[in-house]
Amino acid sequence: MPGIVLVGAQWGDEGKGKATDLIGTKVDYVARFNGGNNAGHTVVVGDESYALHLLPSGIINPNVTPVIGNGVVVDPQVLFEEIDGLQARGVDCSRLLVSEAAHIIAPYHRTIDKVTERFLGKHKIGTTGRGIGPAYADKINRVGIRVHDLFNANHLHDKVEASLHQKNQMLVKLYNRRAVDVDAVTDELLALGERLKPYVANTSLVLNTALNEGKTVLFEGGQATMLDVDHGTYPFVTSSNPTAGGACTGTGVGPTKITRVIGVSKAYVTRVGEGPFPTELFDEQGEWLRQQGHEYGVTTGRPRRCGWFDAVINRYATQINGLTDIVLTKLDVLTGLKEIPVCVAYDLDGIRYDDMPTDQAVFAAVKPVYEMMPGWSEDISSCHSFDELPPTCQAYVKRLEELSGCRISAIGTGPQRDHIISVHSLVD
Ligand code: IMP
């Protein structure tokens, strides 16, 4: 009954695709459990690559059933754009299953996301502007629209009316915007629902049945640990639970069915959007990492903020997610550095923090305590085993493992899919 959870260990964009590729052929279902089209991963189809935001990565493997769980917020327009784009390239998407309990991102959620950010000014979160936060806010406020609501015109009209009642007041009176028309939105959503219908299923039942039959399910998290609404750098977070617990609530599968939790970490750290980032580099070294690592967002194209590996964050990710394995990506990006700083703890006014401070005012003010590791200059992309890595590179990985409190089971050594060293199997 292998239920494998895959999460980002830092602030996202760690390169989860590498881990998915390693697990790839052994998986029967890939289920996304949180977030929406704020995520972004590049999927390679033959010679072509395609940027996906909402579809689970398993969509390209014909032997995998891709599932969008109840914890995901679904923008049907984006979903169809992605399906159309893949089908035009010959990828069959008919296996896709979408939870009937997933919440919908309606056009007004996108509008509210953008106007709210503008209104927040210097307090803005730096969201992706995709309507994620407002859709989750409606879910928690109990005025959200769920997938199964799209199949009953009268019922949907009532729900849209309830949802827009307060929002229209806010849009008109506070933001000086036009009110959203209930009938027009209802018609639009009904049409989208018609197209969505063939994909809709009781995905909790499907996944539990699969696990009971001994099938392998990969639970794929969007975003990452430090963007978790409960455990991340609140308020500079996304509005869902990208941590391992979210795999259960976001798919309707119990924690006793989870057998493995894999965290993906870069060999350094990046972040997009606002919020504290202790090891961030503001000098040419940060720019060098950005260029070497091609650190620009897949979803928004924004340059990513770059900094050194932060072991406090990784220890925290091990704790919060109960990690069993780490996949360390983009180690090759550090090739050529004489020395590599690794943040082992934080300091604030002479007080040392070995563990993540919960108080975000403290976290925003801490300074990293660095340990210097010797670098390497050899090209590591052709190394196929840990032993083939230069000794200083091995020492760097070993130190990261020790500091993270979790074994490093795979190492990314270059941009290609096969640029990966497998140290321990991620499935058996
Ligand atoms: P939202 O998820 O669009 O509400 O954005 C909230 C925060 O999460 C912002 O800082 C975004 O930049 C960040 N974020 C959302 N999705 C991702 C992702 O997939 N990778 C990295 N950062 C993300």
Side-chain angles (χ1 to χ4, degrees), residues 238-251:
T238 193
S239 302
S240 66
N241 289 115
T243 45
C248 294
T249 51
T251 61

Side-chain angles (χ1 to χ4, degrees), residues 13 40 54 65 82 129 143 155 168 212 219 245 248 257 291 318 321 343 365 408 418:
D13 311 309
L54 183 55
T65 304
E82 292 194 356
V143 289
H155 181 72
N168 272 339
N212 289 341
F219 298 89
C248 294
K257 303 261 168 83
Q291 295 310 325
T318 300
N321 298 295
C343 170
I408 292 178
D418 58 348

Side-chain angles (χ1 to χ4, degrees), residues 110-131:
R110 290 192 295 268
T111 309
I112 290 170
D113 197 354
K114 287 179 188 139
V115 290
T116 311
E117 280 284 273
R118 216 168 302 144
F119 210 70
L120 280 171
K122 71 180 171 65
H123 299 295
K124 71 173 188 208
I125 308 297
T127 73
T128 58
R130 303 297 194 261

Side-chain angles (χ1 to χ4, degrees), residues 5 7-9 225 228 242-245 261 263 316-324:
V5 176
V7 295
T225 304
D228 186 285
T243 45
V261 184
Y316 182 66
T318 300
Q319 170 201 320
I320 292 291
N321 298 295
L323 296 185
T324 56

Side-chain angles (χ1 to χ4, degrees), residues 11-13 38-40 125-129 132 223 227 237-238 272-273 302:
W11 274 288
D13 311 309
N38 47 349
I125 308 297
T127 73
T128 58
I132 308 292
Q223 295 79 51
L227 290 171
V237 290
T238 193
V272 286
R302 290 181 286 183

